[in-house]
Amino acid sequence: MSSKKEVFNLLLNNPLFGNACINNPDFPEPFHRGLNNVKAIILGADPSTPDKKVLKHVFGLENPKSPYFEPILKNLSHIDLSLDNIYVKNLCPNYFTDVTDNNDLYLEIAKEYWLPILRDELNLLFKPEIPVLVTAWKPFIVVAPDAKKYKNCKSRIYTEVKIFNQNLLGRPVIALFRGGRRKGNNGYYDLSIPEFSAYVTAVKNLIQRTEN
């Protein structure tokens, strides 16, 4: 298995993709409080921020009250998860010159360079029943390509209670989006919204089954 640094050097030297990356090999570290306690993997897109901040851990979780993770943490509380029982990392560990939504090369880079690294890492650390909860649309459709059909109405994933068991990671993949500008204090994907209650129950039940 290639190391992350080796893959990053290949990426930097690619004439198509290299200019999209910031040449900083000091990637933020994954966050966890003990691998034996992990009930779910939380997957972000990449560490790039509008202010080009350098982070020690993914989502700036060297600060437990990180503003980058706050809406995700609120949603996690509805499915009985906390900082004590999750493993948090990004699909792309490197910094980009643009944030994910503005990065037109993100999907290609994530799939061709980082997805195999992620899959191998998770398989080494966790049994295949441990699910991956994905916090943004672009990494979601990289790991679960069948989700593309929900592009124009992503909330249907919630209202139709769709969990993606067929995917490129070989473990359950679940939407846990943090974005949206409607309904609820955390946006449209706030799990306290009543119409998402069946989705919350299904996700909680799936996570509970991994404990057996």
Side-chain angles (χ1 to χ4, degrees), residues 72-122:
I72 299 168
L73 191 59
K74 288 179 179 178
N75 271 338
L76 290 174
S77 70
H78 294 292
I79 51 175
D80 299 333
L81 294 174
S82 70
L83 291 176
D84 292 329
N85 53 21
I86 57 176
Y87 179 84
V88 190
K89 70 165 298 146
N90 290 314
L91 172 51
C92 295
N94 63 290
Y95 297 93
F96 291 103
T97 55
D98 291 315
V99 295
T100 311
D101 286 346
N102 298 333
N103 184 352
D104 294 334
L105 298 175
Y106 180 89
L107 296 175
E108 293 177 81
I109 291 172
K111 182 179 179 180
E112 299 300 326
Y113 286 85
W114 295 119
L115 179 61
I117 294 283
L118 172 68
R119 183 171 54 238
D120 289 346
E121 177 183 323
L122 297 184

Side-chain angles (χ1 to χ4, degrees), residues 71-72 75 133-141 147 150 154-155 157-158 164 174-180 186-191 199:
I72 299 168
N75 271 338
L133 281 60
V134 189
T135 64
W137 178 246
K138 283 188 175 180
F140 193 78
I141 59 173
Y150 292 97
K154 302 179 186 69
S155 62
I157 296 172
Y158 290 59
F164 293 80
I174 299 167
L176 190 79
F177 302 142
R178 64 173 183 167
N186 298 339
Y188 189 68
Y189 302 106
D190 185 339
L191 292 184
Y199 187 75

